[in-house]
Structure formats: structure tokens, C-alpha cells
Amino acid sequence: MTMDIIMPQMGESVAEGTIIHWLVNEGDKVQKDQPIVEISTDKVDTEVPSPTAGILEKIIHKEDETVPVGTVIATLEEVETGQTTSAAKEEIVSAKEKKVEEKAIPVPPRPHKTQTEKRLSPLVKQMAREYRIDLSKVTGTGIGGRITKQDILIYTKGKPVYAPPAAEEGTQEKEKIIPVSPKRKIIAERMVESKKTAAHVTTTIEVDMSRIVKFREEHKESFFRNEKVKLTYLPFVMLNTARSLRQHPVFNSSWSDEGIIMKKDINIGIAVSLEDGLIVPVVNNADKKHLDELARASHDLAERARNKKLKPDEVMGGTFTITNYGSNGSLFGTPIILLPQIAILGMGTITKKPVVINDAIAIRSMMYLSLSFDHRVVDGARADKFLTTIKEGLEGWEQELNEKMPPAETGFGGVW
């Protein structure tokens, strides 16, 4: 039986992908889950595994081709477990030879590509031209030694960026154009679409993180020894956000012309900053996870996002997003909603400052939380209640609170 290999959907906003390198040739035998092709999108570089054991029958789209999501890029002749593949392979080879013989007009051979050239993405080729780089001098750190954008940026450190053509004598350059990467163009389109579609409003609340700061200081070393993961503030916020989403389920929804679409699963996306953009991998069923599970999951997704090792389903299905701009020192911001979600939570940096407690001045570790929400779906009072629930959970943190979610108090009923 012949099976189609398609260009996968690498996130809700991804419309196309580029074939970087075929890891097997036509007629090669492959095993189930064996990587067969390396692709690149504006979000992720990844390897596509074979859905079953068989023989790669035909490669439809070649390296360096960019095709829409869902396009058939190859076909695979499925081989049942235990079946001898030699006969199937001979049949495929025979069919290919027959097709070649039937061609009436000879096709001139394509210009020969070196192995290095074949493994370059269009973006890397463009950067090489703009930076005027001899790629033979660049060490590739990507899959199979492929040169990545990060390799180009590292190589060009200390060198002129996008050196302009020499100006004519007597003239002085007053401006220059820095080309925008495909990923940045798509991010720009999505952000403008979100602002045009959703009625953005942002509300901000200040949270006393002193208990969590103390708890983290007391446990971060033992946590790292046991889990091999640093304990950051993100999983604390994720845990309490998941609890709040259980109590205020309308924030776990999306807008449609037919009505509000309520989501049963609470899947929290975490915004991860990359060199050339942003990606939002998703922690599924966040409301059913302990603090340590959220810490491991968020760390693992962020690391693999930066190393371009995410799988297609790990950037899909998010119902709510958290962005931690505080990691860069920002106090608060007004994040843009990731459609079709209706809200996004922003974490500011934690700073020690004097606050008034019971008419006395005390030093506390304070943090701002900003919630951008779609005013078409919810009003400000409900948004403030949602934020207040998160605030109360963080300020009242105790070790015994590291439990799985309690039963939902409101469920899908009583949303309004």
C-alpha cells in the first residue's frame, strides 16, 4: 500500500515549509519513526519521521523547495511487519526505470551541487550573500553539520554587518535596508492580524512574591540535584494560572461568530525567545501537573525550541499563553494575544522594593503581572478577578499547595 508523506503543520500560524535535506534516497528501505527528511519553517527546523516501515517510492519535491503545509512531498510503499522487502524494492526500481525510458524529451541534468550547498536553507544562502561570506569557512552546528543562521551570526561577530556597496565619490550613505527574515515577516503579519481582530485591553496587578522567592531559595539546589533542572519562577506562575483557568474557564476559550468556544483541556503555551523571532511550545494538560512536572516540561520545551528539536504537535493546541519578559529585566508590558486564544499573561521581573503592610514600611519581592485580553469575550471586571485569583495563589504559596488541581468549582457552567 502506498502512503503519502506530507509537509507537516508546524504550528497554527505556519503556512509553508522548506525541504532542507532528504536523509534517504528513492528506493531506500526505512523503519518506522526513522527520520527521512529535514525541513525548515518560520518557527522550527526539524526532522520528519517515517510513519511506517517501507520503501521510499518517490520524492516529489526536492531540496530547497518551499511548499504549502499539507502538500505531498513523497510517497512511501508500506511493508507489513515480517514481509521481505526485496521484491517490493525491485518493483519500485523497475517502475522508475520504465518511467525514465518512456520520457520522449531528454531533460538536461541539473547543475551539480556540493554537499554543503545542498544542505543550506534559503535564509542562510541569503545571509551569506548579504554578509559576503565564504561558507566553506563557516562551521555548521545544525543537524548533520548543516550551517544555521546562528552559525552565520557567530561567524560575523566583530565583522561589518550587511556591508553596503561602496558609495560614489562625493556621496555619503544616509540609510540602508536590512532584509527581514521570512520568520520575522510572518510574525509581523500575525501580530498585525491579532491587533486588527481582537479588541485588545491590558490590565496589570502587582504581586508580592516574597514567599515564593524564599521557597525557591530554600529548595533550588535540592531541586536541581533531583530533577537536573533549574527551578525558575515560571512554573509557579503556570501552576497558579492553571488553577485560575479552572475557576474562570472563559479565559480558556476562543471567539467565533457562532459563539464562545470553550476548551475542555488547559494547554498553556510558553513564549520562547529565539535569535530571529519567537516560538510558543505548549504544555498540555497543565492543570493536571505538579510544580516539578511543570518545571521539567517548560525547561525541556524551551531547550528544544532553541535547538530546533520541537515536534509538530508541541507547538499546536495551546489555549492560553504566558510570556516571561521579566527574564530580560522588563517590569511590565502589554503583550499581544496569540489568536485564536482570547488572553495572554505577561510576567515582569521580580524586584525588591518598599511596600506598606499594616501601616508599616517593609521590603518585599514584588512582580507585575499583565493580562491582555479580548474585550469581545470578557470585560475588565472579570479579567481583574482572573488576575486576582493568580495573585492570591502566588502570595499565599505554601509547600503543601504543590498538589494537582482541585475539582473545578465552576466548570463550563456559570461562565458569565
Side-chain angles (χ1 to χ4, degrees), residues 20 64 116-122 124-125 135 146-147:
I20 300 300
D64 290 343
T116 300
E117 290 172 335
K118 288 172 67 178
R119 297 184 61 82
L120 297 176
S121 70
V124 167
K125 291 178 181 178
L135 290 173
R146 183 171 61 85
I147 297 173

Side-chain angles (χ1 to χ4, degrees), residues 42 126 178-192 276-277:
D42 63 290
Q126 177 185 342
I178 298 178
V180 179
S181 70
K183 180 180 291 186
R184 177 50 59 186
K185 286 182 179 179
I186 291 179
I187 290 174
E189 291 171 0
R190 300 306 178 197
M191 295 299 97
V192 171
D276 55 349

Side-chain angles (χ1 to χ4, degrees), residues 19 26 44 63 93 104-105 131 168 303 392 414:
I19 297 171
E26 288 184 350
V44 184
E63 293 172 356
V93 173
I105 303 175
Y131 281 96
E168 295 181 7
E303 283 297 304
E392 290 172 348

Side-chain angles (χ1 to χ4, degrees), residues 238-255:
M238 291 177 67
L239 181 69
N240 285 279
T241 298
R243 289 172 182 264
S244 189
L245 288 169
R246 287 290 296 271
Q247 295 183 45
H248 308 275
V250 69
F251 290 92
N252 201 56
S253 69
S254 60
W255 168 272

Side-chain angles (χ1 to χ4, degrees), residues 13-28:
S13 62
V14 175
E16 61 186 16
T18 300
I19 297 171
I20 300 300
H21 180 56
W22 282 100
L23 305 174
V24 294
N25 300 313
E26 288 184 350
D28 284 354

Side-chain angles (χ1 to χ4, degrees), residues 8 22 35 100 122 141 148 164 168 179 200 217 235 280 314 333 395:
W22 282 100
V100 172
T141 61
T148 66
E168 295 181 7
H200 276 68
E217 287 298 319
V280 185
E314 291 175 326
E395 292 185 341

